Amino acid sequence: MIERLARWFDQRLRAVSALRAGATKVFPEHWSFMVGEIALYSFVVLVLTGTYLALFFDAGMERQPYTGSYVPLRGVEVSAAYRSALDLSFDVRAGRFVRQVHHWAALVFVAAIVVHLLRVFFTGAFRRPRELNWIVGVTLLLLAILTGFAGYSLLDDLLSGVGLRIGFSILESIPIVGEWLAFGVFGGPFPGDVILGRLFIAHVFVLPLLILGLLTVHLLVIFRQKHTQFPGELRTEDNVVGDALWPTYAAKSVGLLFIVAAVLAALGGFAQINPIWLYGPYEPATVTSGAQPDWYMGWLEGALRLMPPVEVVAFGYEIPSLFFPAVLLPGVTFAGLYLYPFVEQWVSGASRREHHLLDRPRDHLVRTSLGVAVFTFYAVLLVAGANDIIADVLDVPIGVVVGVLRVALFVLPVAAAAVAVVVCRQLRRSDVHAGHKEAVRQAADTH
Amino acid sequence: MLAQVRPLVALLAAWSVCAVAVVLLTSWWDGPAAAQTTDLPPLGGAEVDGETLWKRDCASCHGATGDGSAWAPSLQGKGPAAVALTVATGRMPIEQLAPYGAGGGPIRMQPTGRPSYPPAEVAALVAYSRTILTGPDVPRVDVAGADLARGQQLFQQNCAACHSWSGRGGALTAGMIAPTLMRSTPTQVVEAMRTGLGSMPVFSARTFDDQDATAIAAYVQELRQQEHGNEGAASSSGLAFRGPLVEGAVAWLVGILAILLAVRWIGARS
Amino acid sequence: MDRRALVSRDGASAPTAVAPLVGFAVAALGAVGFVVAYVVDAAPAAYGAALLCAFGGLGFGLVTWAHRLMPAGGRVEPREHMAVATAEEDRALATIRGQTEPLPRRRLLWGAFLAATGATGAALLVPLGSLGPAPHDALRRTAWGRLPHPRVVDENGRSVRPGDLAVGEVLTVFPAGDPGSANAQTVLIRLPDGVEVQSPGRQEWVVDGLVAYSKLCTHAGCPVGLYVVEEQQLFCPCHQSAFAVLAGAVATLGPASRALPQLPLGLDRDGYLISLGDFPASVGPGWWTRP
């Protein structure tokens, strides 16, 4: 039956040879190559659940008394956005489940992109000819973070509203154009009454479209260039060894799609997330302690908390201290990410040879230790984003926590890099032993 | 097959340990489960003499008539409500003079979650304090029928900044902590508002009338109920009240880890 | 294809379809469970459990099918390198160039076309200016300066008398007519008797022991909602900046560098608190042209 369908299409498109090439295409089967697919399939879940949610959500900011079934908020004046989110959580059958799956999927989506980025980085998969896909991938990370921020800020709850106020201040802090940019995005002084509608368009249309487009490019490039592989038996720079796309690889990949969906469904069902009815509706003069953004913004939050009060005032102009951790740091971060493949190429004086065989991290001490150090730096920032909760739980003064983290920010990356070097060396030594043992065994066999 | 199972088993074990650790950590966060503090019994005389108790346990720091000394501030203006609150939550008599910061700062009161005396003695002490102290008396708080929505609004406007949206408290400056409200009775909530406990501001009756105060107390009870999972309209797991910090930890330690384990199972190892 | 090529992963012979079939059966049950959960309006956990079975079963089924009953790896395909020989690149580019080289006035027209397109593109961006108003001095002023000597009111618009606040009490206030205003939010504090605020030239701004500061943190704009009475500090929960209440709310801790502006308080004829004017400095975080 499928064959009849395939023939029907081929009669109109003459695509059979492409189909055959595609079906027999070989994909390397190492498990770490599937991490990118975790992100891809989380995105699928996001689009499906998100479309459902968008059918109920109303991004309006006009306030009306709440009349839904959550008793502690009955009569409170809330925006249409907050109200529709409450309705989804209490008055739409299965609404809360879908909302929770959607939010967990967003957290897992960005986490998967980060794990995938780490895998690509530490195995050197970004080297020529894959710099292009690296650039596309880093852009996807940036877009994913922005989409997540826009998404959870839509609900007009206390926590995300405070985040939007910080966002306004960050825009304001940009030299020369800051004031204009902030007023442009928010349609006037904070909070205004257009920001939720604009975030909605960004979150459900512009950003997902960009992600979809870049994802397509990302996959097409992989298709064209063929996936990298680890060195090993039969594997050379001139071939690909693994599963055929049809049926094995397709089965495994679609199986992964279902497993990702299963884990996200379990999380969405069993683990509450973003209880906006407890945060309360956003009021500009109210705030809460223990206020953190979603995890993928945590490093930024930590930078804001650790940055000392450094303001630059000269010639009647001011660069407020907020600019440095909130604009300069992410700018440098992403610039560094984008440029890394080219910097590595230039510094290592690498030949213009293509690489299709991956490095093992242990064989590249500089790249591995650098990656570990940079990762540790952002991990410390992430931890610093929760410094007030750490102070509360450990019963330590906040000033001490901040002081320790500031020191750790510079000491731990170096220490981590040193540990990485030691571990790599150890692993290589055991490789040599294993190789030696293997050689001895082979020699024994031949006798 | 066995050779492939062992690493998988090890990974599963590692994941279970992490998941259990996360669960334990988020439960331990609240501090050790403390005895439920109770409201005081009806006030009235008792066999134990309140004056004796006061002279034995309070006067050495707060003075015979509650006017303070070099060791402790005056309790004038704090009233019997302050006595009732601090004694019922075990903050007073103070076990250790543990100053904040580097010393010379305000004394830190540590709630033990248990009254310092049996109920009759607490009542007697409070009754005696009524004769020497000025300030708010022990309030009568009945949260039945209180306006929960008003309580939510007032809580968000005045309490959440220190005690957090979840009522679980938060860090302040100088090493101080705004405590969790998850063990506070309605009376204790109103007592704290009226007296301004430690570094907590006062929320007096002229700006927050008794109805407002009762509403706030009722909302705190609502938070407690939702936390303990009974009839909470919303909670489907103990992950309520934790915020994006724990949500992120769960996304990594449960979500990503589970999927990575699955991926290791699906793909080849090498 | 040759069935003998199929070897199950554990090396045992005769791979069976049991595992995948079990997976698909569980999936079917899960699907039914999901529908039941919907019909009875169950809690999210029921939906989660049902879909865990449904998706989990499907995934388990497909993967075990692949592992046990599908060819396992080892397929080899040649890989073409991306870098084509330079000669071929040159030929391709030469061919393309050849399509346009003989055209007359090519450079001039192409340049003019690009310039015109650029101009049009830039022009099309101009309506982005409608996204928001020009800031003018909106960041420098608050609603306190809108009317002369506005009354100080709480969230509900109720006027405040000095006697309303007890010692150690804090209240969030706004100018009359703008309760809840985002940039005019102000903390009103009653200091202990006899305690003075050490802000030079601002003693008259304190009325009857009441001092008022802008509630908008000068770091990133969060409400500075915590009043730590014993330390006489205003503490911002967002990034942990602290401001000394008795010293004109100068920033003493954390990433904020500027003091919270103080509001000049006064009393009207009926004994209600009023403001004598807007804040002397801009509230909230800084920007490029902050005065």
Side-chain angles (χ1 to χ4, degrees):
Chain A
M1 220 281 286
I2 298 185
E3 279 193 20
R4 281 229 295 265
L5 207 60
R7 281 184 200 278
W8 189 91
F9 276 103
D10 184 53
Q11 303 280 336
R12 287 145 183 81
L13 296 171
R14 200 138 82 90
V16 135
S17 60
L19 209 60
R20 181 160 57 103
T24 54
K25 203 167 176 62
V26 173
F27 285 83
E29 347 141 61
H30 194 263
W31 65 270
S32 69
F33 300 159
M34 304 190 86
V35 179
E37 288 165 52
I38 301 176
L40 172 66
Y41 295 137
S42 304
F43 185 66
V44 170
V45 172
L46 281 170
V47 171
L48 292 174
T49 52
T51 305
Y52 183 80
L53 292 173
L55 297 172
F56 296 89
F57 182 73
D58 174 358
M61 293 177 80
E62 330 76 49
R63 300 210 156 203
Q64 298 275 328
Y66 173 70
T67 54
S69 38
Y70 183 64
V71 171
L73 285 174
R74 278 225 192 105
V76 176
E77 297 253 320
V78 299
S79 62
Y82 190 76
R83 180 200 44 75
S84 61
L86 284 180
D87 289 345
L88 269 167
S89 305
F90 296 105
D91 293 305
V92 170
R93 200 175 280 213
R96 181 147 51 97
F97 172 69
V98 177
R99 235 202 90 211
Q100 292 183 171
V101 172
H102 189 73
H103 202 138
W104 283 116
L107 300 187
V108 167
F109 177 48
V110 186
I113 295 179
V114 169
V115 178
H116 175 60
L117 180 149
L118 290 173
R119 196 285 292 167
V120 168
F121 177 84
F122 284 113
T123 55
F126 54 80
R127 291 170 300 168
R128 187 182 172 119
R130 293 179 174 80
E131 308 96 318
L132 181 62
N133 238 11
W134 171 264
I135 290 173
V136 172
V138 171
T139 311
L140 281 168
L141 173 63
L142 180 59
L143 289 173
I145 292 175
L146 289 174
T147 311
F149 174 76
Y152 73 73
S153 301
L154 280 175
L155 303 180
D156 200 27
D157 58 278
L158 178 59
L159 212 53
S160 64
V162 168
L164 279 181
R165 168 67 240 201
I166 298 174
F168 183 91
S169 307
I170 291 176
L171 286 176
E172 213 184 306
S173 75
I174 296 174
I176 305 172
V177 295
E179 236 182 312
W180 294 81
L181 208 52
F183 273 60
V185 169
F186 281 78
F190 186 84
D193 46 18
V194 299
I195 186 61
L196 292 190
R198 291 181 180 178
L199 283 175
F200 186 66
I201 291 298
H203 180 74
V204 309
F205 179 56
V206 177
L207 290 170
L209 216 60
L210 287 172
I211 292 178
L212 199 59
L214 285 177
L215 247 182
T216 309
V217 169
H218 202 68
L219 293 174
L220 284 176
V221 170
I222 297 174
F223 220 72
R224 175 101 181 96
Q225 294 178 333
K226 293 192 174 36
H227 203 281
T228 50
Q229 59 193 357
F230 284 107
E233 210 179 292
L234 293 183
R235 292 159 171 86
T236 70
E237 290 276 7
D238 302 303
N239 68 9
V240 196
V241 180
D243 289 325
L245 173 59
W246 188 261
T248 314
Y249 189 76
K252 288 183 181 174
S253 196
V254 177
L256 177 61
L257 161 63
F258 288 123
I259 288 176
V260 168
V263 171
L264 293 177
L267 279 174
F270 295 112
Q272 184 172 100
I273 184 171
N274 206 30
I276 55 166
W277 51 90
L278 294 172
Y279 299 155
Y282 179 62
E283 300 285 344
T286 63
V287 73
T288 174
S289 66
Q292 271 76 30
D294 276 8
W295 80 263
Y296 43 82
M297 307 279 296
W299 56 281
L300 209 56
E301 177 73 11
L304 262 64
R305 294 176 184 218
L306 293 186
M307 179 77 188
V310 170
E311 243 173 22
V312 175
V313 181
F315 309 113
Y317 296 115
E318 171 177 318
I319 303 180
S321 72
L322 192 59
F323 173 76
F324 302 102
V327 181
L328 200 59
L329 175 69
V332 166
T333 303
F334 278 91
L337 280 172
Y338 278 120
L339 292 175
Y340 184 79
F342 308 101
V343 169
E344 185 183 278
Q345 230 171 56
W346 177 64
V347 164
S348 65
S351 65
R352 310 180 75 222
R353 184 173 78 84
E354 282 177 19
H355 296 271
H356 300 285
L357 285 177
L358 294 169
D359 283 334
R360 288 184 313 167
R362 69 190 70 172
D363 294 326
H364 243 267
L365 286 181
V366 174
R367 181 200 297 148
T368 301
S369 57
L370 183 66
V372 166
V374 170
F375 178 77
T376 308
F377 180 81
Y378 289 99
V380 172
L381 285 181
L382 181 59
V383 168
N387 65 348
D388 58 340
I389 299 185
I390 294 173
D392 184 8
V393 169
L394 296 181
D395 206 5
V396 171
I398 280 206
V400 170
V401 175
V402 169
V404 166
L405 285 172
R406 278 180 180 158
V407 170
L409 189 63
F410 296 101
V411 166
L412 279 187
V414 175
V419 168
V421 167
V422 166
V423 169
C424 286
R425 286 227 175 97
Q426 195 59 30
L427 287 171
R428 289 177 69 177
R429 220 168 288 141
S430 68
D431 277 351
V432 167
H433 284 172
H436 179 71
K437 279 209 281 224
E438 180 66 22
V440 167
R441 191 186 68 80
Q442 280 181 354
D445 279 348
T446 57
H447 279 65
Chain B
M1 165 83 165
L2 207 58
Q4 287 163 348
V5 162
R6 238 183 279 126
L8 194 64
V9 168
L11 276 159
L12 267 168
W15 174 43
S16 317
V17 168
C18 283
V20 168
V22 165
V23 168
L24 281 180
L25 197 73
T26 52
S27 327
W28 167 76
W29 189 322
D30 219 15
Q36 194 72 293
T37 60
T38 54
D39 284 334
L40 303 171
L43 302 167
E47 306 82 24
V48 180
D49 185 14
E51 182 170 358
T52 315
L53 272 173
W54 181 274
K55 291 212 163 87
R56 185 191 75 188
D57 294 341
C58 319
S60 50
C61 290
H62 287 290
T65 48
D67 293 296
S69 72
W71 297 104
S74 162
L75 294 178
Q76 299 303 336
K78 297 288 185 182
V83 176
L85 176 61
T86 52
V87 165
T89 55
R91 287 177 163 91
M92 290 289 163
I94 203 159
E95 297 283 291
Q96 274 179 334
L97 284 179
Y100 298 127
I107 297 300
R108 181 165 179 161
M109 286 188 276
Q110 193 82 315
T112 62
R114 275 185 321 280
S116 307
Y117 307 104
E121 293 187 11
V122 173
L125 189 61
V126 170
Y128 177 71
S129 71
R130 205 176 283 121
T131 65
I132 52 170
L133 295 182
T134 58
D137 203 343
V138 176
R140 296 199 173 283
V141 183
D142 180 10
V143 296
D147 186 349
L148 265 185
R150 179 104 185 100
Q152 189 281 331
Q153 280 188 296
L154 289 169
F155 185 88
Q156 182 176 328
Q157 288 164 3
N158 299 287
C159 319
C162 294
H163 289 284
S164 179
W165 55 268
S166 59
R168 286 168 167 258
L172 305 172
T173 56
M176 291 187 266
I177 308 244
T180 176
L181 303 176
M182 291 296 107
R183 292 190 282 270
S184 306
T185 66
T187 309
Q188 287 164 2
V189 169
V190 178
E191 282 169 347
M193 283 175 63
R194 298 307 191 207
T195 61
L197 187 65
S199 261
M200 176 166 163
V202 169
F203 296 94
S204 68
R206 297 194 61 172
T207 35
F208 299 89
D209 63 21
D210 287 339
Q211 250 191 337
D212 285 343
T214 306
I216 293 177
Y219 184 72
V220 172
Q221 299 317 301
E222 172 68 24
L223 288 178
R224 290 176 73 195
Q225 268 190 340
Q226 289 202 25
E227 174 203 358
H228 293 299
N230 49 344
E231 291 320 310
S235 52
S236 63
S237 88
L239 274 180
F241 303 91
R242 317 297 184 181
L245 168 68
V246 176
E247 290 163 6
V250 168
W252 276 91
L253 295 179
V254 177
I256 280 287
L257 207 54
I259 303 176
L260 282 179
L261 284 176
V263 156
R264 266 198 70 124
W265 170 59
I266 299 175
R269 222 142 300 149
S270 191
Chain C
M1 64 161 304
D2 188 356
R3 283 190 130 242
R4 281 170 295 168
L6 290 172
V7 177
S8 67
R9 264 163 64 113
D10 58 10
S13 56
T16 68
V18 171
L21 282 174
V22 167
F24 296 144
V26 168
L29 285 175
V32 170
F34 186 77
V35 174
V36 169
Y38 184 84
V39 166
V40 303
D41 195 10
Y47 296 109
L51 287 184
L52 178 62
C53 293
F55 289 132
L58 284 171
F60 179 79
L62 274 177
V63 174
T64 48
W65 187 2
H67 281 169
R68 290 156 201 242
L69 299 166
M70 290 183 189
R75 294 277 296 258
V76 183
E77 191 181 55
R79 180 201 292 273
E80 60 168 352
H81 283 230
M82 294 291 111
V84 178
T86 320
E88 218 181 298
E89 258 173 38
D90 291 340
R91 267 201 304 277
L93 288 171
T95 311
I96 299 174
R97 217 181 304 128
Q99 308 274 85
T100 56
E101 205 131 61
L103 299 178
R105 320 288 287 162
R106 189 172 48 91
R107 280 214 171 79
L108 172 67
L109 289 169
W110 182 244
F113 170 68
L114 282 179
T117 313
T120 310
L124 288 176
L125 291 174
V126 162
L128 286 175
S130 311
L131 279 176
H136 294 308
D137 56 351
L139 286 176
R140 287 197 283 284
R141 298 177 293 107
T142 74
W144 287 105
R146 207 166 51 85
L147 298 167
H149 297 187
R151 280 224 184 133
V152 171
V153 300
D154 66 8
E155 278 281 352
N156 301 311
R158 234 187 34 193
S159 300
V160 177
R161 288 176 184 280
D164 289 346
L165 272 73
V167 169
E169 183 150 8
V170 63
L171 186 65
T172 302
V173 295
F174 307 89
D178 286 290
S181 156
N183 69 353
Q185 53 183 289
T186 302
V187 272
L188 185 66
I189 294 171
R190 175 180 285 287
L191 301 169
D193 299 323
V195 170
E196 292 254 300
V197 171
Q198 308 300 322
S199 31
R202 300 265 172 90
Q203 269 73 20
E204 323 83 66
W205 291 12
V206 176
V207 168
D208 196 10
L210 289 169
V211 66
Y213 293 110
S214 165
K215 197 175 178 183
L216 216 56
C217 185
T218 52
H219 174 238
C222 292
V224 183
L226 290 85
Y227 174 43
V228 185
V229 176
E230 284 165 311
E231 293 289 303
Q232 289 297 348
Q233 278 177 324
L234 283 166
F235 185 55
C236 183
C238 285
H239 310 106
Q240 290 77 50
S241 298
F243 304 89
V245 171
L246 299 179
V250 291
T252 55
L253 181 73
S257 47
R258 276 180 303 110
L260 302 172
Q262 187 175 352
L263 187 71
L265 291 174
L267 279 176
D268 73 0
R269 272 172 294 120
D270 302 312
Y272 287 106
L273 270 179
I274 56 167
S275 157
L276 299 174
D278 203 346
F279 291 102
S282 60
V283 299
W287 68 97
W288 183 245
T289 51
R290 190 180 68 84

